Amino acid sequence: MSLHLNDIASLYLGSKVSAGLRLKVIHVRNNMTWRHAYPEFVKIVEVGPRDGLQNEKEIVPTGVKIQLIDMLSGTGLSVIEVTSFVSSKWVPQMADHTDVLRGIQKASNVQYPVLTPNLQGFQDAVAAGATEVAVFGSASETFSKKNINCSVDESMLRFEEVINAAKKRQIPVRGYVSCALGCPHEGHIEPSKVAEVAKRLYEMGCYEISLGDTIGIGTPGSMLKMLQRVMKDVPINALAVHCHDTYGQALPNILTALQMGVSVVDSAVAGLGGCPYAQGSSGNVSTEDVLYMLHGMGIETGVNIAKVIEAGSFICSALSRKTNSKVAQARSTACCDESL
Amino acid sequence: MGNVPTTVKHCLSYEQLIEDYPWLRRWLQEDKEIVPTGVKIQLIDMLSGTGLSVIEVTSFVSSKWVPQMADHTDVLRGIQKASNVQYPVLTPNLQGFQDAVAAGATEVAVFGSASETFSKKNINCSVDESMLRFEEVINAAKKRQIPVRGYVSCALGCPHEGHIEPSKVAEVAKRLYEMGCYEISLGDTIGIGTPGSMLKMLQRVMKDVPINALAVHCHDTYGQALPNILTALQMGVSVVDSAVAGLGGCPYAQGSSGNVSTEDVLYMLHGMGIETGVNIAKVIEAGSFICSALSRKTNSKVAQARSTACCDESL
């Protein structure tokens, strides 16, 4: 029996809690039987090498990036976003995009999408051997203008060029919608705006739309409302969530999305990539922590968590930084038996 | 829960513990920073002004085992008790209970375990034997009309035994409830639980203990605390334990986090439209105070983000 959307909504909107260090509810729900229904399989889209490294301050040598991606290729991940064909003037970290894409050992059962913000980037990506690309839209006008110096409408024209060129070459295109749960400049973003942008990307030809909580301010409450609205315009099996953990809400937000029927989750090995809007804070959710949760729920991913931890350990060592993954951290020091 | 590992709270097998965990010996005898009594009192007084209705303040356990709690009487007597706040204290045995009452305690707590091995290693007795001790405390408390809260540790797994059957958790929870505990807090002591195991455990426990008498005490060692709490809320649980600034690490994974941060829990609940009566900004202030006093960073992602964020969170 599925957990109906209205059930979830009424749970979130109807409870009262009075709090202590214990938080005590005044109103108790006892008139519903909850059954939790989740997808049997969740596809993880690994964005560490691109989204993760893009937000790391230290420029990572090309060889290290390639080694990271090759390690990730052996973990069971089926999608690894490897680089971005954007001008190196704006994103120095991705200046070696061609060398990275050409240098990695492509596993036969893995897709290696790359970001292509415009037609030029798309053409460069194809020349470098890309077989899947992604475009990055925004649900916030202000974010679009500040980030890519054009309005949402103008960006859609650019993306349409890319998508049409990709269609001719039968190259699949993934669409991203940033600021899906809030914008660093505008604050609240109406779910209808997110739906509008998602729908446009989907109808233009993107096979999948990743809805991003760019600044990590979302909660299960706002995730629920946003997905309810977007699902009216885009089929659930074409939706993914890209949650940031800046406020520690990534996993409960992902859980909510799974309960709504979403079965594609973006994450980054070791939680690479901080938040440019809250210095020192975390950004991407850790792939290891997502896998731990999913596997603990009996959801299959095809990914070997130990190998992801190894890859995370490698890149953190190369970056001389600590992992953002709590699972990786605990496993490196734990003296208890996790085998349950 | 405070910043004392639960391992040490009730320990009678001190020699065995420090042999098993050398870092614990160092922690107890050399490295531990004892928080001054005045700082503890100030923290509690700050928390009393946040809207929290329950603040667990100290533990009446022997100072030999838990030096951090040696000042339990001074703390309990020194705090300014707000009229709408409860200040429970841990009382592992009758002696502790009597000392707590003498110091003015009006609510106490006892700590059971769903794992036999954890019980033996932690308090040097079986679960059954511990229940006899708790029964003494509960009976003494009943005579004074002092409410008793029961904890069940290792509810989602044990550092020694690994998997713990939900039926065992239910058995211990039921015993504590039937003995007279008004509320049972189910603790994921090593933070290894996930929404999967939380669901199964609660489904089983709810057959024996009414849902409104259950609480969850989730640790964030594997980053699973908030999804686990969310799962519990969806099952009907409406009492959540948490610690300001996520104080307290995990004694079983050194350097890893332990308690879930009150700030992060509040952020999630408020974002879901759930009322708590708690002012998150004031909790962040209290967290900032104690972290400064302890010369450490907060474990709360919300507190961390708010201290550096340049974006507008008002949604």
Side-chain angles (χ1 to χ4, degrees):
Chain A
M1 184 172 113
S2 299
L3 194 64
H4 295 292
L5 300 181
N6 287 338
D7 294 346
I8 305 172
S10 57
L11 167 70
Y12 291 174
L13 301 174
S15 303
K16 283 186 181 178
V17 181
S18 76
L21 258 180
R22 303 179 220 151
L23 304 169
K24 188 171 275 195
V25 152
I26 298 168
H27 171 72
V28 178
R29 308 190 61 76
N30 59 6
N31 58 348
M32 288 186 184
T33 300
W34 297 102
R35 303 279 175 90
H36 290 79
Y38 295 103
E40 286 182 3
F41 181 89
V42 165
K43 179 177 81 171
I44 301 287
V45 174
E46 172 59 49
V47 299
R50 201 283 305 168
D51 191 13
L53 292 184
Q54 185 166 317
N55 285 299
E56 293 283 334
K57 287 177 196 163
E58 193 183 319
I59 300 291
V60 180
T62 306
V64 170
K65 286 178 187 160
I66 288 171
Q67 192 173 343
L68 171 65
I69 295 163
D70 288 347
M71 288 180 82
L72 292 169
S73 291
T75 60
L77 287 162
S78 60
V79 186
I80 303 169
E81 194 178 78
V82 298
T83 190
S84 177
F85 281 78
V86 66
S87 163
S88 59
K89 179 178 163 195
W90 307 126
V91 189
Q93 184 72 274
M94 300 285 126
D96 57 358
H97 42 62
T98 299
D99 292 338
V100 168
L101 189 53
R102 285 195 177 139
I104 57 173
Q105 293 182 23
K106 292 184 183 176
S108 58
N109 54 343
V110 182
Q111 285 300 315
Y112 299 94
V114 299
L115 251 64
T116 52
N118 48 43
L119 193 59
Q120 182 62 58
F122 173 76
Q123 288 161 349
D124 293 343
V126 169
T131 52
E132 182 174 327
V133 300
V135 294
F136 233 95
S138 170
S140 156
E141 285 293 344
T142 312
F143 190 82
S144 187
K145 281 172 188 150
K146 284 184 179 276
N147 214 34
I148 55 174
N149 208 28
C150 65
S151 69
V152 171
D153 280 347
E154 287 163 344
S155 71
M156 290 294 139
L157 294 174
R158 280 185 213 172
F159 301 151
E160 200 168 23
E161 287 186 322
V162 171
I163 294 169
N164 289 341
K167 274 179 187 168
K168 287 179 184 157
R169 291 175 173 273
Q170 292 172 315
I171 288 178
V173 183
R174 190 187 208 225
Y176 283 89
V177 181
S178 62
C179 299
L181 295 180
C183 169
H185 314 292
E186 293 185 17
H188 176 69
I189 297 294
E190 279 300 325
S192 56
K193 182 68 178 177
V194 182
E196 179 195 322
V197 176
K199 185 180 178 184
R200 284 176 81 175
L201 288 168
Y202 183 69
E203 288 178 345
M204 282 198 290
C206 291
Y207 76 92
E208 193 169 88
I209 311 298
S210 175
L211 305 165
D213 182 11
T214 304
I215 47 175
I217 53 172
T219 65
S222 53
M223 174 65 83
L224 181 83
K225 287 179 194 161
M226 186 274 293
L227 283 175
Q228 277 179 325
R229 182 58 188 85
V230 174
M231 281 163 59
K232 288 182 180 175
D233 292 340
V234 181
I236 191 75
N237 59 1
L239 291 177
V241 289
H242 183 112
C243 297
H244 279 193
D245 205 39
T246 316
Y247 290 80
Q249 307 296 306
L251 288 186
N253 290 344
I254 289 167
L255 186 66
T256 299
L258 296 177
Q259 290 175 348
M260 306 280 291
V262 170
S263 59
V264 183
V265 175
D266 298 1
S267 58
V269 60
L272 288 176
C275 176
Y277 300 95
Q279 202 181 2
S281 291
S282 58
N284 285 303
V285 66
S286 309
T287 300
E288 300 93 313
D289 297 2
V290 172
L291 288 171
Y292 187 91
M293 181 176 79
L294 296 177
H295 294 172
M297 293 163 64
I299 295 172
E300 290 185 31
T301 62
V303 185
N304 182 320
I305 190 175
K307 290 188 175 179
V308 176
I309 291 174
E310 255 182 71
S313 175
F314 162 76
I315 190 63
C316 287
S317 182
L319 287 169
S320 301
R321 59 159 281 179
K322 274 182 69 176
T323 181
N324 274 333
S325 160
K326 288 205 167 182
V327 171
Q329 167 70 21
R331 283 207 178 169
S332 68
T333 57
C335 52
C336 59
D337 183 3
E338 253 181 71
S339 53
L340 300 179
Chain B
M1 280 295 298
N3 59 350
V4 178
T6 55
T7 298
V8 188
K9 265 199 171 94
H10 315 282
C11 170
L12 294 180
S13 177
Y14 181 76
E15 289 72 24
Q16 186 61 48
L17 261 182
I18 61 173
E19 182 188 318
D20 285 351
Y21 305 112
W23 66 266
L24 182 62
R25 178 180 62 245
R26 288 194 302 275
W27 183 85
L28 282 174
Q29 295 170 348
E30 298 161 19
D31 299 344
K32 195 71 186 78
E33 182 187 336
I34 299 293
V35 180
T37 306
V39 170
K40 288 178 190 168
I41 288 172
Q42 192 173 344
L43 170 65
I44 295 163
D45 287 347
M46 287 180 83
L47 292 171
S48 290
T50 60
L52 288 164
S53 61
V54 186
I55 304 169
E56 196 176 77
V57 299
T58 190
S59 178
F60 281 78
V61 67
S62 163
S63 59
K64 178 182 170 191
W65 309 129
V66 191
Q68 187 70 271
M69 300 284 123
D71 57 358
H72 42 61
T73 298
D74 293 337
V75 168
L76 191 52
R77 286 193 177 143
I79 58 175
Q80 292 181 25
K81 292 184 182 175
S83 57
N84 55 343
V85 182
Q86 284 299 315
Y87 299 95
V89 299
L90 252 65
T91 52
N93 49 42
L94 194 58
Q95 182 62 58
F97 173 77
Q98 287 161 351
D99 293 343
V101 170
T106 52
E107 182 175 326
V108 300
V110 293
F111 234 94
S113 171
S115 157
E116 284 292 345
T117 311
F118 191 82
S119 189
K120 281 173 188 149
K121 283 184 178 278
N122 211 34
I123 55 174
N124 206 30
C125 63
S126 70
V127 171
D128 280 348
E129 287 162 345
S130 74
M131 291 293 138
L132 294 175
R133 278 184 216 170
F134 302 149
E135 200 168 20
E136 287 186 321
V137 171
I138 294 168
N139 289 341
K142 275 180 187 169
K143 287 179 186 158
R144 292 175 173 272
Q145 293 173 315
I146 287 177
V148 183
R149 191 191 208 222
Y151 283 89
V152 181
S153 62
C154 298
L156 296 180
C158 169
H160 314 291
E161 292 185 18
H163 177 69
I164 296 292
E165 280 298 326
S167 55
K168 182 68 178 178
V169 182
E171 180 194 321
V172 176
K174 184 180 178 183
R175 284 177 79 173
L176 287 168
Y177 184 70
E178 288 178 347
M179 282 199 289
C181 291
Y182 75 92
E183 192 170 88
I184 310 297
S185 175
L186 306 166
D188 182 11
T189 305
I190 46 175
I192 52 173
T194 64
S197 52
M198 173 64 84
L199 182 80
K200 286 179 193 158
M201 185 274 291
L202 282 176
Q203 279 177 329
R204 181 58 188 85
V205 174
M206 281 162 60
K207 290 183 178 174
D208 292 340
V209 180
I211 192 74
N212 59 0
L214 291 177
V216 289
H217 184 111
C218 297
H219 279 193
D220 205 39
T221 316
Y222 290 81
Q224 307 296 307
L226 287 186
N228 289 345
I229 289 167
L230 182 61
T231 300
L233 295 175
Q234 290 174 341
M235 302 283 291
V237 169
S238 54
V239 183
V240 175
D241 298 3
S242 60
V244 61
L247 290 176
C250 175
Y252 299 96
Q254 195 179 7
S256 291
S257 59
N259 285 304
V260 66
S261 310
T262 299
E263 300 92 314
D264 297 2
V265 173
L266 288 171
Y267 187 92
M268 182 177 78
L269 296 177
H270 294 173
M272 292 163 62
I274 296 175
E275 290 179 32
T276 65
V278 185
N279 182 320
I280 191 175
K282 291 189 175 180
V283 177
I284 291 174
E285 254 184 72
S288 174
F289 162 75
I290 191 62
C291 288
S292 184
L294 290 172
S295 301
R296 58 162 283 181
K297 274 183 68 175
T298 181
N299 274 334
S300 160
K301 288 206 167 182
V302 170
Q304 168 68 23
R306 285 208 176 165
S307 68
T308 57
C310 51
C311 59
D312 183 5
E313 253 181 69
S314 51
L315 299 181

